[in-house]
Each structure stands twice: as C-alpha cells, then as structure tokens.
Amino acid sequence: MLLLAVLAGCAVVPRAAVGPRGLLEVLGPAPGFTPQALSGDWIVEGYEGTQGSELAVIRLDGVPALRIVNGEDGFLVVRRTQAMLLATPYLSWSWNVEDHGDGYHPVRLIVGFHGGDPKSASWGSQPFAWTGSALPPHDRALVITWGASALERGTLSGPTGERRSAPRYTARGGRENTGSWWLETIDLSRLYARAWPGDDAGEATVVFIGLAAGGGRAPAVANFSGMVLSR
C-alpha cells in the first residue's frame, strides 16, 4: 500500500505545453467547453452551477466567449501549463465586463508560478496552497483584476503578509469601460520582477493560468475570449 501511495504521488498530470510557434492557446473557448467535458489539463473546483453562479460558452457581439458569473460560493477554472516565464512572457486575452458596483470585480484571472523563489520547495511538494488544493504546486501567484476606476489601470499591489495573499495587478477598470470588448497584453515577466524582485525569474515556470470567481458577493458578469501565452 505504501508503494502504491508513492506511485500515485508520482503520477504524471497532464499539462498544456507551448507549441512550435511559441504559443500556448489557453482558452478559446471551444464550443464544447463545459466542466464535464474538459481535457485532463483543466481544473474546475468549487463550481456546482447553483446559487446564481454560471460557467458557459456564449457568443457576445459575434465573439465566442466564456461567460462567468460568481455566485454564493467561490469557484475556479484553470489550466495546468508548462511554460518557462522568460521564454513566453506575454499573456493576451479579450474581456467584456459588466458593471459590478464598487471595488474589484469578483471574477479575475489568476496565474501561478514555480521555481523562481530561492526558497522554493521541489516540484513534488505543495509549497503554496492558495486558491484550492487541486492547483499544481506553486510558490508564487498573481491575480489580474478589473478595478473600480479606470485610473487604477497598471497598478500592482501586495503581496500582503496575511495568508501569503497574491499580489494584485489591475489591467483595466471603470464603469465607462464596461460593456465593451477590450484586448489586453501584459508582460508577466515584468510583473513578476516587480512583485518579487529577489527571485530568479529565469528559473520560474508558469504552471497554471485561469479564472477565479469570488463567493459571497452579488452576482457579476465577466466574459473572456482568446487567452494566449506567447513569446
């Protein structure tokens, strides 16, 4: 039984890798994108499809999109990835966000890294269990949000000392920008260097990319399309 436990711990978990063109297409989304029909490199945790939450593929203004609505309970949908940070540092996506009231939008992007922290544990451990236990081992995580004000764009806050909470980068925001499609491209390597200046970014790997919906707030809609990691 001990041997079986060791073998189970060493099992290979599927991870999406960068293709020959230097691209990793994280999220299309494909028409059949549902929690029940995803490939093995995806993780869906906490989503029950009840209490006002939603996770569905739609067409919005002719654009195929993954529509996410937060509910009473938080959930996440992320893809396990295998990509060196400095080799493929650019994360691009389009989003169309509806007005959510005050504060940060409860639906946000999340990116996990491993290997850059000099104190990082080995890949076989779980050094930083942040959003959920099903996430790959990671020692750093970054949250990318839609802010309450357009003036917050480009700001990076944290991390704080409480629960090793992840730093938060505001990519866009403001009521005046809601209801329209926006194409974003950010340099993850630059954000990583700003958030963790003492790390070795050359050793960092992007181990997951995805979306998280916070629970306990009024339902708010965010639509995502064309999420790609590139060099």
Side-chain angles (χ1 to χ4, degrees):
M1 291 182 65
L2 178 60
L3 177 60
L4 290 175
V6 171
L7 291 175
C10 296
V12 176
V13 177
R15 292 185 288 167
V18 178
R21 295 185 298 155
L23 298 175
L24 197 168
E25 297 180 359
V26 180
L27 172 70
F33 190 99
T34 65
Q36 298 77 23
L38 294 177
S39 58
D41 51 19
W42 281 95
I43 300 168
V44 178
E45 187 167 87
Y47 179 74
E48 301 294 340
T50 58
Q51 301 172 321
S53 62
E54 184 178 352
L55 182 64
V57 174
I58 64 168
R59 293 192 73 88
L60 181 60
D61 299 332
V63 178
L66 181 64
R67 175 186 173 96
I68 296 185
V69 183
N70 64 299
E72 186 173 317
D73 298 320
F75 66 91
L76 61 85
V77 51
V78 303
R79 194 170 191 183
R80 300 183 187 92
T81 59
Q82 185 176 7
M84 295 303 298
L85 173 61
L86 296 188
T88 50
Y90 297 105
L91 179 63
S92 302
W93 75 95
S94 295
W95 53 355
N96 186 315
V97 174
E98 295 186 11
D99 186 13
H100 64 287
D102 297 330
Y104 294 106
H105 198 284
V107 180
R108 63 270 192 188
L109 289 81
I110 54 173
V111 183
F113 309 92
H114 185 271
D117 182 359
K119 301 178 182 178
S120 175
S122 65
W123 171 254
S125 67
Q126 178 69 41
F128 184 17
W130 170 61
T131 318
S133 59
L135 289 175
H138 56 290
D139 48 39
R140 304 297 192 195
L142 176 69
V143 175
I144 303 169
T145 63
W146 181 284
S149 168
L151 298 178
E152 296 175 4
R153 187 183 184 192
T155 59
L156 179 68
S157 60
T160 67
E162 299 178 1
R163 295 186 179 180
R164 298 187 64 189
S165 60
R168 183 189 304 268
Y169 176 74
T170 303
R172 195 172 291 271
R175 287 185 173 90
E176 63 271 33
N177 289 325
T178 58
S180 298
W181 279 107
W182 297 96
L183 173 62
E184 315 286 0
T185 298
I186 62 174
D187 186 338
L188 291 176
S189 65
R190 289 192 176 186
L191 290 177
Y192 189 99
R194 286 173 60 187
W196 303 285
D199 280 17
D200 183 355
E203 295 295 326
T205 301
V206 181
V207 294
F208 67 79
I209 303 172
L211 303 161
R217 291 181 56 183
V221 179
N223 305 282
F224 297 85
S225 184
M227 192 179 298
V228 177
L229 191 66
S230 64
R231 61 189 177 194

